[in-house]
Amino acid sequence: MESLRLKLDLQLFSQEKTESATPKKRQDSRKKGQVAKSMELPAAFILFFSFLSFYMIGGFMKEKLVDLFTGSLRHDLLMDVTMSNIQMLSYRILVQFLILLAPIMILTMVTALAANYMQIGFLLTGDPLKMKLNKINPIEGFKKIFSMRSFIDFLKSILKIVIIGVVVYLTLWGEKEKLLALSHVPLEKALQYVWSMTLMLGIKIAIILVVLAVFDYLYQRYEFEKSIRMSKQDIKDEYKKTEGDPFIKGKIREKQRRMAMQRMMQEIPKADVIITNPTHYAVAIRYDAANMQAPTVVAKGTDFVALKIREIAKEHGILIMENKPLARALHAQVELEEAIPGDLFQAVAEVLAYVYKIKGRTKRA
């Protein structure tokens, strides 16, 4: 009973999402459009730079606006009302309005792109636009409305309203004497004061929203990292999918070893000599003066493989020589199909010379 309970506890623990997401999981989430992103950060930056641009190019916009109304009041009211005149007037007013709004529109687009790029980099995916039935599931929608994320978004909205309300109240309260005195000043100065007050409030509110948006971005990153966490079992399953099942890979490696062993055994009959330990090690040496610069190891092995090498050598009449130090050195230092290194060349050459001498005697006999 205790072992079953322990097994269940371990299984539940392996299913808990306690591990950080792997690079593959992050890449797959990014392809689906699932990234850490705050929608409030671009809006806050747009508001801030828009008011900042009003502050910097307000004079230019004022001149263009005054020229627009002055021209209309001085000249356009006296023109004949014809279709061509109306079209020309509409076109001119439209062009002037576009010139007036062009800096703000360009700045807004650039700011929005930059704010999004800073958060997620370059990302182009159509996965969020795909039709998914769970998006129109009323139960899922009900869960989202009353979820913890919705509650936190509600609290953030309340916090922004309260902070902005306090800032606006304190600013206007500090300017109450000047506001009350506006009825005694010329209209132009009153409008200038209201314009400057609006700009000041706008920049203050924009800075507050930028600060809140930065915290919101950090929170979104935390929520995103939490949402893509993986369990130990998830990591194992991902490894199996990407690298292959370890059992299957083991079978493949075993088959590769058998094929390599079979090829090695097929090379033994071509060997000139088998150097042994005498029972634990066996190394097959082959030398073809016409095609090789140095003798080559065509087979080697220990214990059972060494026994198999000796058996095949006996079947094909290959000479077997016992040389314990040389057999160990060749097995440790030389790989299959590799030439004999210089430090072992002299010892192997003496063995081959002896082998060729024995073969020569056998042929003469």
Side-chain angles (χ1 to χ4, degrees):
M1 186 68 179
E2 290 294 332
S3 60
L4 179 60
R5 185 180 301 172
L6 179 60
K7 186 176 181 180
L8 290 174
D9 291 340
L10 290 174
Q11 185 175 2
L12 290 174
F13 177 74
S14 65
Q15 295 296 328
E16 291 182 0
K17 297 185 181 297
T18 56
E19 306 300 317
S20 299
T22 60
K24 183 179 183 304
K25 178 65 178 293
R26 294 179 184 277
Q27 185 178 4
D28 292 342
S29 298
R30 184 176 176 84
K31 289 180 180 178
K32 296 177 182 178
Q34 300 173 359
V35 291
K37 179 182 176 182
S38 172
M39 299 299 294
E40 298 181 8
L41 197 61
F45 275 117
I46 288 172
L47 184 65
F48 174 75
F49 284 108
S50 296
F51 275 101
L52 190 63
S53 65
F54 282 135
Y55 181 80
M56 297 175 63
I57 62 174
F60 167 78
M61 298 181 71
K62 175 185 174 183
E63 291 178 3
K64 289 294 181 181
L65 199 59
V66 170
D67 291 342
L68 177 61
F69 284 103
T70 302
S72 298
L73 293 174
R74 287 181 178 178
H75 307 290
D76 299 338
L77 293 179
L78 302 177
M79 70 168 53
D80 296 332
V81 181
T82 62
M83 183 60 69
S84 60
N85 287 340
I86 295 299
Q87 289 179 350
M88 183 181 64
L89 176 62
S90 301
Y91 176 76
R92 182 162 56 83
I93 293 175
L94 178 62
V95 170
Q96 290 181 351
F97 264 110
L98 289 176
I99 294 174
L100 189 66
L101 297 176
I104 305 299
M105 295 173 63
I106 294 173
L107 181 63
T108 300
M109 292 177 60
V110 172
T111 303
L113 292 174
N116 281 284
Y117 183 80
M118 286 191 302
Q119 293 184 84
I120 61 175
F122 181 77
L123 177 61
L124 187 62
T125 177
D127 192 86
L129 301 177
K130 292 180 179 179
M131 182 63 183
K132 298 179 182 178
L133 294 178
N134 60 348
K135 291 183 178 181
I136 58 176
N137 188 347
I139 298 177
E140 293 295 329
F142 186 79
K143 289 180 180 179
K144 289 181 180 180
I145 293 175
F146 294 96
S147 64
M148 180 59 68
R149 178 181 288 271
S150 299
F151 179 70
I152 292 176
D153 290 339
F154 174 75
L155 290 181
K156 289 190 297 184
S157 301
I158 295 297
L159 179 63
K160 285 193 293 185
I161 293 173
V162 170
I163 294 176
I164 292 173
V166 170
V167 171
V168 172
Y169 172 77
L170 293 177
T171 302
L172 295 179
W173 184 258
E175 299 288 331
K176 63 181 183 299
E177 295 181 358
K178 294 182 180 180
L179 290 172
L180 294 174
L182 287 179
S183 59
H184 304 290
V185 299
L187 179 60
E188 184 178 357
K189 290 186 178 181
L191 291 175
Q192 289 179 351
Y193 175 76
V194 171
W195 173 252
S196 62
M197 177 65 64
T198 303
L199 285 180
M200 182 176 63
L201 274 175
I203 292 176
K204 284 184 179 180
I205 293 172
I207 292 174
I208 293 171
L209 291 178
V210 167
V211 174
L212 293 177
V214 170
F215 282 105
D216 179 67
Y217 172 69
L218 296 176
Y219 170 74
Q220 296 296 336
R221 281 187 63 89
Y222 167 77
E223 284 293 321
F224 174 72
E225 293 293 334
K226 185 178 178 181
S227 66
I228 63 173
R229 283 179 185 172
M230 304 174 68
S231 64
K232 295 182 182 296
Q233 187 62 40
D234 292 336
I235 295 177
K236 291 179 181 178
D237 294 340
E238 181 186 284
Y239 177 79
K240 288 180 180 180
K241 290 180 181 178
T242 55
E243 300 295 331
D245 193 326
F247 178 76
I248 296 176
K249 291 180 68 176
K251 289 291 185 181
I252 294 174
R253 284 195 294 268
E254 180 64 25
K255 187 175 182 179
Q256 291 173 342
R257 282 195 294 269
R258 288 200 301 267
M259 293 175 64
M261 182 68 67
Q262 186 176 1
R263 288 195 301 269
M264 185 179 73
M265 294 304 175
Q266 292 173 353
E267 293 294 323
I268 295 174
K270 303 176 184 179
D272 294 312
V273 63
I274 308 297
I275 302 174
T276 64
N277 190 27
T279 57
H280 295 296
Y281 290 86
V283 181
I285 303 295
R286 178 171 178 263
Y287 180 59
D288 184 359
N291 300 315
M292 297 180 182
Q293 295 182 352
T296 303
V297 173
V298 295
K300 68 175 184 176
T302 60
D303 299 329
F304 176 77
V305 178
L307 177 61
K308 192 69 176 177
I309 292 173
R310 292 197 301 272
E311 290 178 354
I312 296 175
K314 290 178 181 179
E315 292 176 2
H316 292 82
I318 308 299
L319 185 63
I320 300 175
M321 293 188 61
E322 179 182 339
N323 189 327
K324 295 181 181 180
L326 182 58
R328 286 178 174 270
L330 288 171
H331 187 275
Q333 299 180 28
V334 188
E335 299 296 329
L336 292 176
E337 304 297 331
E338 190 175 294
I340 302 299
D343 55 341
L344 299 176
F345 188 85
Q346 181 64 32
V348 173
E350 292 176 357
V351 170
L352 289 175
Y354 177 76
V355 170
Y356 295 150
K357 184 177 179 182
I358 296 297
K359 286 184 178 179
R361 291 176 182 176
T362 303
K363 289 181 179 180
R364 285 196 299 271

